[in-house]
Amino acid sequence: MRPSHLLVAPLAVAALVLALGACAPESIDPLTEPTPFSFELANPEAFAESVFGVMLTPFEPNPMFGPRSLTPAAADIEGFVYATIDAAIDADGLVTGSLISVYDIPRINEGLGLEFGWMLFFPPEGCPMTATHPDEAALAPLPYMAVWDGDSFVDDEPDPDAIIVLESFERVDGAGGAYTETFVAYVPVASQSAWSASTDGACVPDEAPDVTLTVDVAIDAGWQFLRFTSVETFDGVDWTDAYEIVSLTLDEVAAAGVIGEAQPPDVMLTKSLSTATAQKGLSLLFR
């Protein structure tokens, strides 16, 4: 057989592979598509309606840095963009829907809008972090979610039935005035890049020997949650504080059970993240 005949079969196979590849469906960047999510609330009997999550549009001031109102109706609706699609709470307290495409988020570098963001992006001296892709460390939090029918307004502002509070607070009292207060908050966040940061276990800030900080964050490109935990302990003589920031996938949050509740708009939280303190230091890990 002549050598030219030996090439016929391999060339035919190669041509077939190329033809099949041309017919294959075009790959889709997941960052361009909405992302399904779910989580559970504690009081489903109070509300069963549409759920709207909103994010700040560019050039609008971030209320996290100033006086904070917990009532969505007090906010200028033109200053927000809807970040949830077809979201609703059912009779069992399950909130389901989709989050908008990460590429449709107007303010991606808003990590410091988190009230505990300083501890993540500017960890205190004495708490060095190991990180991957630190130059890509940027987050867009979803800070406001409300139960609203989408049609009720007061003076051109939304009139929600409730706000969704993804927080919990528990106090356990002991003898002699001792107590332990535990505060937990969940925040949906989006990132356009994958990055991570870790303190490699609990660390003690140089200027706060009674405080520990633990960070274990592995951020994927797309949506996930951050969970912030603050534990304040008083033994009758001394206080200690432990702070923890970890990342959770949407699946982990969906399987976590109850993570918050729906509250009437005029109900103030028992404890706010703004009361949490951290020694501010500078870190070269994050811009």
Side-chain angles (χ1 to χ4, degrees):
M1 182 179 292
R2 289 181 296 178
S4 59
H5 291 169
L6 296 175
L7 296 177
V8 172
L11 288 175
V13 172
L16 179 61
V17 170
L18 290 175
L20 291 175
C23 296
E26 183 180 355
S27 61
I28 298 175
D29 185 343
L31 298 186
T32 66
E33 298 297 315
T35 304
F37 75 94
S38 68
F39 56 80
E40 188 176 352
L41 301 179
N43 55 338
E45 69 282 354
F47 311 98
E49 211 169 317
S50 297
V51 169
F52 289 83
V54 292
M55 304 180 80
L56 292 167
T57 57
F59 312 115
E60 291 292 331
N62 192 329
M64 288 295 185
F65 291 112
R68 181 180 179 186
S69 171
L70 296 178
T71 307
D76 177 9
I77 195 64
E78 297 300 324
F80 297 96
V81 61
Y82 293 124
T84 54
I85 302 171
D86 296 331
I89 175 174
D90 68 13
D92 294 322
L94 186 65
V95 177
T96 58
S98 294
L99 297 160
I100 63 174
S101 157
V102 173
Y103 285 159
D104 289 337
I105 294 173
R107 298 167 65 127
I108 199 66
N109 198 9
E110 280 291 299
L112 293 181
L114 295 166
E115 290 182 86
F116 55 87
W118 290 107
M119 286 181 277
L120 177 60
F121 290 95
F122 294 93
E125 295 294 337
C127 286
M129 292 189 190
T130 57
T132 60
H133 306 297
D135 290 339
E136 302 300 322
L139 291 173
L142 174 53
Y144 314 107
M145 300 185 79
V147 180
W148 181 43
D149 61 12
D151 295 319
S152 301
F153 291 85
V154 174
D155 297 329
D156 296 326
E157 294 179 348
D159 184 24
D161 291 325
I163 58 171
I164 291 179
V165 182
L166 301 183
E167 301 176 357
S168 65
F169 176 72
E170 181 182 19
R171 178 183 172 110
V172 177
D173 292 309
Y179 66 85
T180 298
E181 292 183 347
T182 303
F183 175 71
V184 182
Y186 294 80
V187 182
V189 293
S191 178
Q192 291 182 349
S193 303
W195 56 275
S196 68
S198 172
T199 54
D200 300 320
C203 65
V204 178
D206 291 345
E207 299 181 5
D210 298 325
V211 173
T212 61
L213 171 63
T214 302
V215 173
D216 187 11
V217 171
I219 300 297
D220 291 325
W223 284 94
Q224 50 255 290
F225 276 72
L226 292 183
R227 184 185 67 201
F228 173 78
T229 304
S230 168
V231 180
E232 179 180 285
T233 303
F234 178 60
D235 62 9
V237 178
D238 297 313
W239 283 267
T240 59
D241 291 284
Y243 301 116
E244 179 189 67
I245 305 171
V246 301
S247 58
L248 300 172
T249 66
L250 297 185
D251 288 341
E252 287 173 324
V253 170
V258 172
I259 65 169
E261 63 180 335
Q263 296 183 352
D266 57 349
V267 173
M268 297 298 291
L269 300 184
T270 306
K271 183 181 178 73
S272 171
L273 278 171
S274 61
T275 63
T277 58
Q279 302 297 316
K280 294 179 183 178
L282 292 178
S283 170
L284 297 179
L285 285 175
F286 301 109
R287 62 183 178 209

